[in-house]
């Protein structure tokens, strides 16, 4: 399936059972809610999906299940986050074999590569498969920034089509547009500033809290792109305390707790992560429950043309 990299792309959480196995029925329940809300694609095995704890067999199972469940309604992307170029290349080829529609690729894990090494890594992995690629640029968490100069070299590969822009510098959207025009599709990867980046010209939103609140996320995207900014802003102001759960080191636990509260997931995480307890859990629950209690009545957004 062709990916145009416009719209909302949830970085889905991986659902587990109490026995630490994949909970595919709950994963499918959440996936269907995303599709019904109008998302434009999904990403499997991202940071929010606890990628570092998943086996290859589990990734294959999640891709196969997602493709079957979505039945061609949206594209399915696999995230690649590996320490070695060889393993990243292997997974890119496996993703193609499994039927994934595209890839999101992080820079090398656990090694701070320089300019030449970073470009070589991305080019080698992207070049291993014809699948369209979104580069994940998150120097805050992963300590490697994909600079404009790097992108100049990366776009020599036609299948490098998009960036998940997570520098947390809203001005970087303008820098990318000024330098590359429409050659690179920009998707905001930080929930708290997604509306701002959409207003500055970002094409989409790789979301976290969308896992629990898909309709509200899609509504903001569509309203902004339709020029109905005041309506989008009203939803955004309600949403912000929840969106701030996405920028915490325990975003996986926080977002899974939100999914559980709205009936779209469970709290189970895979060690070394542990479920929230005590005051921390109660504090996060208070934010989530206040948000649910004051959840806005959405205007009709499904038929809007973004």
């Amino acid at each position: 399936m062709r990916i145009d990299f416009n719209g909302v792309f949830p970085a889905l959480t991986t659902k587990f059972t109490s026995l630490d196995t994949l909970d595919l029925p709950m994963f499918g329940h959440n996936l269907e809610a995303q599709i019904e809300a109008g998302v434009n694609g999904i990403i499997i095995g991202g940071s929010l999906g606890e990628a570092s704890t998943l086996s290859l067999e589990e990734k294959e199972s999640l891709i196969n299940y997602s493709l079957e469940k979505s039945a061609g309604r949206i594209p399915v992307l696999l995230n690649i986050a590996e320490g070695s170029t060889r393993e990243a290349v292997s997974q890119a080829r496996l993703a193609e074999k499994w039927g994934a529609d595209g890839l999101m690729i992080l820079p090398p894990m656990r090694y701070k590569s320089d300019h030449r090494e970073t470009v070589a890594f991305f080019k080698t992995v992207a070049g291993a498969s014809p699948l369209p690629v979104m580069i994940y640029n998150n120097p805050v968490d992963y300590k490697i920034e994909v600079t404009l100069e790097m992108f100049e070299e990366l776009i020599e590969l036609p299948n490098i089509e998009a960036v998940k822009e997570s520098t947390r510098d809203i001005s970087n959207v303008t820098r990318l547009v000024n330098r590359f025009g429409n050659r690179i599709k920009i998707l905001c990867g930080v929930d708290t500033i997604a509306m701002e980046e959409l207003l500055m010209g970002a094409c989409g939103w790789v979301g976290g809290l969308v896992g629990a609140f898909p309709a509200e996320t899609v509504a903001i995207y569509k309203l902004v792109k339709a020029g109905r900014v005041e309506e989008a802003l009203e939803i955004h102001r309600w949403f912000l305390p929840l969106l701030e759960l996405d920028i915490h080191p325990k975003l996986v636990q926080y977002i899974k707790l939100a999914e559980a509260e709205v009936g779209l997931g469970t709290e189970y995480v895979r060690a070394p992560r542990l479920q929230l307890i005590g005051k921390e859990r109660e504090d996060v629950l208070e934010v989530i429950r206040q948000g649910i209690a004051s959840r806005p009545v959405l205007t009709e957004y499904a038929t809007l043309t973004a």
Side-chain angles (χ1 to χ4, degrees):
M1 175 183 291
R2 174 64 188 163
I3 309 174
D4 67 7
F5 289 110
N6 289 287
V8 175
F9 286 70
L12 294 182
T13 59
T14 302
K15 313 301 187 288
F16 298 113
T17 69
S18 60
L19 300 176
D20 197 33
T21 58
L22 294 181
D23 187 345
L24 291 177
M26 181 56 79
F27 180 86
H29 176 57
N30 186 290
L31 173 57
E32 192 60 38
Q34 304 300 320
I35 294 172
E36 288 179 1
V39 303
N40 302 90
I42 57 167
I43 299 167
I44 304 297
S47 305
L48 188 54
E50 297 171 76
S52 63
T53 72
L54 298 177
S55 68
L56 279 177
E57 292 76 17
E58 288 173 325
K59 291 179 182 179
E60 180 180 10
S61 180
L62 287 165
I63 289 291
N64 289 338
Y65 185 85
S66 298
L67 290 168
E68 179 183 353
K69 184 76 173 176
S70 60
R73 290 176 288 173
I74 56 170
V76 176
L77 290 78
L78 177 67
N79 178 64
I80 295 179
E82 297 300 324
S84 78
T85 303
R86 182 165 67 175
E87 181 58 30
V89 164
S90 174
Q91 291 196 26
R93 290 172 176 159
L94 284 172
E96 181 187 359
K97 177 182 176 182
W98 296 336
D101 299 297
L103 304 172
M104 183 170 77
I105 308 177
L106 277 78
M109 297 288 97
R110 296 177 292 279
Y111 172 67
K112 191 177 186 300
S113 54
D114 65 15
H115 177 119
R116 182 171 65 95
E117 292 168 327
T118 303
V119 170
F121 175 83
F122 280 130
K123 278 191 164 185
T124 302
V125 180
S129 159
L131 294 177
V133 167
M134 173 162 52
I135 300 294
Y136 188 177
N137 189 16
N138 186 346
V140 176
D141 292 319
Y142 300 114
K143 311 310 176 188
I144 297 172
E145 181 172 3
V146 187
T147 64
L148 298 180
E149 290 70 29
M150 290 181 190
F151 274 114
E152 283 281 7
E153 299 176 57
L154 292 174
I155 61 174
E156 293 171 3
L157 272 65
N159 65 323
I160 294 181
E161 300 182 12
V163 56
K164 179 181 177 184
E165 165 52 39
S166 298
T167 62
R168 305 191 190 187
D169 179 359
I170 296 170
S171 300
N172 212 40
V173 174
T174 300
R175 294 188 190 100
L176 285 161
V177 172
N178 285 348
R179 187 79 161 258
F180 303 110
N182 293 323
R183 172 60 184 85
I184 300 174
K185 295 292 186 70
I186 305 165
L187 292 87
C188 181
V190 182
D191 275 358
T192 53
I193 58 174
M195 180 170 171
E196 290 92 332
E197 291 206 353
L198 290 170
L199 287 166
M200 296 306 295
C203 303
W205 180 354
V206 177
L209 268 297
V210 63
F213 301 96
E216 290 83 357
T217 306
V218 174
I220 289 174
Y221 169 77
K222 287 198 167 187
L223 287 166
V224 168
K225 291 303 180 181
R228 292 163 60 172
V229 176
E230 288 300 321
E231 293 169 78
L233 185 57
E234 184 177 352
I235 301 170
H236 172 75
R237 285 174 174 159
W238 159 82
F239 212 174
L240 186 60
L242 293 160
L243 296 177
E244 288 176 333
L245 301 178
D246 181 59
I247 55 173
H248 190 278
K250 291 188 181 178
L251 76 163
V252 173
Q253 291 95 319
Y254 290 3
I255 292 174
K256 282 193 165 184
L257 183 56
E259 290 179 342
E261 283 294 296
V262 298
L264 292 178
T266 68
E267 295 182 56
Y268 297 123
V269 292
R270 177 165 282 176
R273 288 182 176 87
L274 298 175
Q275 289 178 223
L276 302 174
I277 60 172
K279 185 176 185 301
E280 181 181 22
R281 184 176 184 276
E282 291 305 312
D283 289 345
V284 176
L285 267 179
E286 182 177 1
V287 173
I288 295 167
R289 289 174 176 171
Q290 285 180 356
I292 293 171
S294 59
R295 205 168 184 172
V297 177
L298 297 179
T299 58
E300 179 53 50
Y301 70 90
T303 58
L304 287 177
T305 300

